[in-house]
Amino acid sequence: MQIKLWLNGKMVTEDVAADMLLIDFLRAHGCFSVKRGCETANCGLCTVFVEDKPVLSCSMLVARVDGKKITTLEGLQEEAEDFGAFIADQGAEQCGFCNPGLIMNAIAMFRENPNPTDEEIIQYLAGNLCRCSGYEGQLRGIKAFLSFKKEKGGVC
Amino acid sequence: MLTINQYVKAESLQQAYELNQKKNNVILGGMLWLKMQKKSVGTAIDLSNLGLDTIEETEDSYLIGAMVTLRTLELHKGINSMTNNAVSESVKHIVGVQFRNLATIGGSIFGRYGFSDVLTIFMALDASVELYQKGIVSMEEFSKMPYDNDLLVRVIIKKQKMKVAYLSQRNTNTDFPVLTCAVSNIEGTYRCVIGARPKRAVCLYDSNGILKDGITQESAEKFGEFMKGQIITGSNMRGSEEYRKILSGVLSKRALLKLKDYEVTSYAD
């Protein structure tokens, strides 16, 4: 079946199988930030935006996103670098495997709730698993990023 | 692995219903549980073009389309203010935001899973399902029905004066629940729904009138004991039958005590 979608701002038209998952489509198009980490839809590593909402690309048929706008980390380089540095500063990035998924979901959170409490941060990012850390470093990184943005007076 | 031979975006409920009569065809919800199964699907039927992804508010009800996501429910102001935020509480521990942006109420309810937070809370809300063929059926009755090829169109919650509390026990955050518990008082009737037991959720009533004079520390404790004695539980990798029995007593007591607090706060004016 033929589908058309916008991947990081570019229009892509392609013939796909009925059971092709979005994650496989994205990786076939060079978006290697999108990772398969668990096979059980609970690690968050495959997070991408469909129409600006974060979803698990491992559980979504590409057929379902026909006509939609898809954004991966590759399409958010500036925002990702900006925020990623704060995570790295805390030494929270160890193997780095879970980082793209976490950054995607954190960006979604900043857009939805620019002033989250600690509890809201933990709640929002609970679906992003990290096997190296205890999440404390990431939380510190997020808070440091938020207060940096606040000082600059900008919105995230 | 899940394989799908053909994919159809249904153009009408009638078309979806007809396609669904064939045994190896399947309706797609959020696809989160479906994808976990080893299954070969003939035609996957997608309802996402039928406008079922919105919550309609009428004078006396909330009509929740089958394709409404759990995240939409979690953030819905009207439903949550009517339910003391119990609806939000029931879904917010389900994996993560990205998961809940996909998981649909139709998929959760139609599956009548033995781990369902969603079925538990909607039974406590005395909600109903609108089925394409059978029409409107109460959630409690639906929870007992065998699986068939009907189509779930909407979930309906009547606007009523209610107090509801939801609690769940998880071994770790974002995991499946070990036990779920929702207690409600709707028009004077107390319902206690216990789910993830690990069978389908079940609705129990205050059949001995323990709460007839209201909720006190003492009556809540008695009610918890009564639930513990009544409930049928089972064992699986997340917890034993006995542990679940004890939990159902504790959670129903705690949920009742939450209701008692709501009595003070939400009806003070």
Side-chain angles (χ1 to χ4, degrees), chain B residues 53-73:
Chain B
D53 59 346
T54 53
I55 300 176
E56 268 177 75
E57 186 178 353
T58 66
E59 210 161 285
D60 61 355
S61 307
Y62 286 104
L63 311 175
I64 307 165
M67 297 304 286
V68 166
T69 67
L70 302 188
R71 180 72 178 157
T72 303
L73 275 176

Side-chain angles (χ1 to χ4, degrees), chain A residues 1 18-19 21 39-42 44 47 53-56 58-61 63-64 105 112 123-124 126-128, chain B residues 3-7 9 28-32 35-36 46 67 71 92 95-99 101-102 173-174:
Chain A
M1 60 187 303
D19 54 4
L21 294 169
E39 291 284 10
T40 56
N42 77 79
T47 300
K53 271 191 184 163
V55 300
L56 301 173
C58 75
S59 299
M60 198 163 196
L61 291 177
R64 198 170 242 185
N105 217 32
E112 216 176 302
Q123 190 67 53
Y124 202 100
N128 291 79
Chain B
T3 60
I4 298 169
N5 196 25
Q6 217 194 337
Y7 167 91
K9 235 176 211 177
L28 299 177
M31 255 195 66
L32 295 148
K35 197 206 68 163
M36 299 286 290
D46 191 344
M67 297 304 286
R71 180 72 178 157
K92 76 181 190 196
V95 193
V97 170
Q98 312 98 302
F99 185 102
N101 268 334
L102 289 177
N173 197 11
T174 76

Side-chain angles (χ1 to χ4, degrees), chain A residues 15-31:
Chain A
D15 253 329
V16 296
D19 54 4
M20 186 181 213
L21 294 169
L22 181 56
I23 185 173
D24 296 316
F25 179 89
L26 294 172
R27 289 186 64 87
H29 284 80
C31 300

Side-chain angles (χ1 to χ4, degrees), chain B residues 39 46 48 90 92 116 128 132 134 182 202 204 213 215 229 250:
Chain B
K39 204 170 173 172
D46 191 344
S48 58
S90 74
K92 76 181 190 196
S116 181
S128 309
Y132 184 67
K134 283 185 209 72
V202 63
L204 301 164
D213 297 322
I215 304 167
V250 174

Side-chain angles (χ1 to χ4, degrees), chain A:
Chain A
M1 60 187 303
Q2 199 182 62
I3 57 149
K4 181 171 87 175
L5 53 81
W6 281 263
L7 174 55
N8 294 326
K10 273 192 201 147
M11 195 209 277
V12 182
T13 310
E14 202 164 296
D15 253 329
V16 296
D19 54 4
M20 186 181 213
L21 294 169
L22 181 56
I23 185 173
D24 296 316
F25 179 89
L26 294 172
R27 289 186 64 87
H29 284 80
C31 300
F32 297 119
S33 72
V34 188
K35 304 209 187 73
R36 188 177 252 115
C38 69
E39 291 284 10
T40 56
N42 77 79
C43 77
L45 267 63
C46 65
T47 300
V48 301
F49 296 167
V50 172
E51 300 285 311
D52 294 324
K53 271 191 184 163
V55 300
L56 301 173
S57 61
C58 75
S59 299
M60 198 163 196
L61 291 177
V62 69
R64 198 170 242 185
V65 296
D66 185 22
K68 297 214 156 91
K69 195 177 97 187
I70 317 297
T71 314
T72 71
L73 196 67
E74 284 80 359
L76 292 169
Q77 280 306 299
E78 224 170 279
E79 263 174 287
E81 268 173 41
D82 209 12
F83 166 60
F86 282 83
I87 296 286
D89 275 355
Q90 296 293 333
E93 189 175 37
Q94 292 179 45
C95 85
F97 196 60
C98 69
N99 231 26
L102 177 93
I103 291 180
M104 287 301 283
N105 217 32
I107 290 173
M109 176 181 70
F110 299 145
R111 289 177 180 180
E112 216 176 302
N113 181 3
N115 290 306
T117 61
D118 282 14
E119 206 193 321
E120 282 167 343
I121 296 171
I122 291 166
Q123 190 67 53
Y124 202 100
L125 298 177
N128 291 79
L129 304 186
C130 165
R131 289 182 177 180
C132 301
S133 81
Y135 306 104
E136 289 293 326
Q138 282 93 333
L139 182 61
R140 284 197 307 270
I142 289 163
K143 284 164 69 176
F145 174 73
L146 286 169
S147 47
F148 170 75
K149 284 275 171 186
K150 218 180 222 170
E151 270 168 38
K152 268 180 48 180
V155 232
C156 305

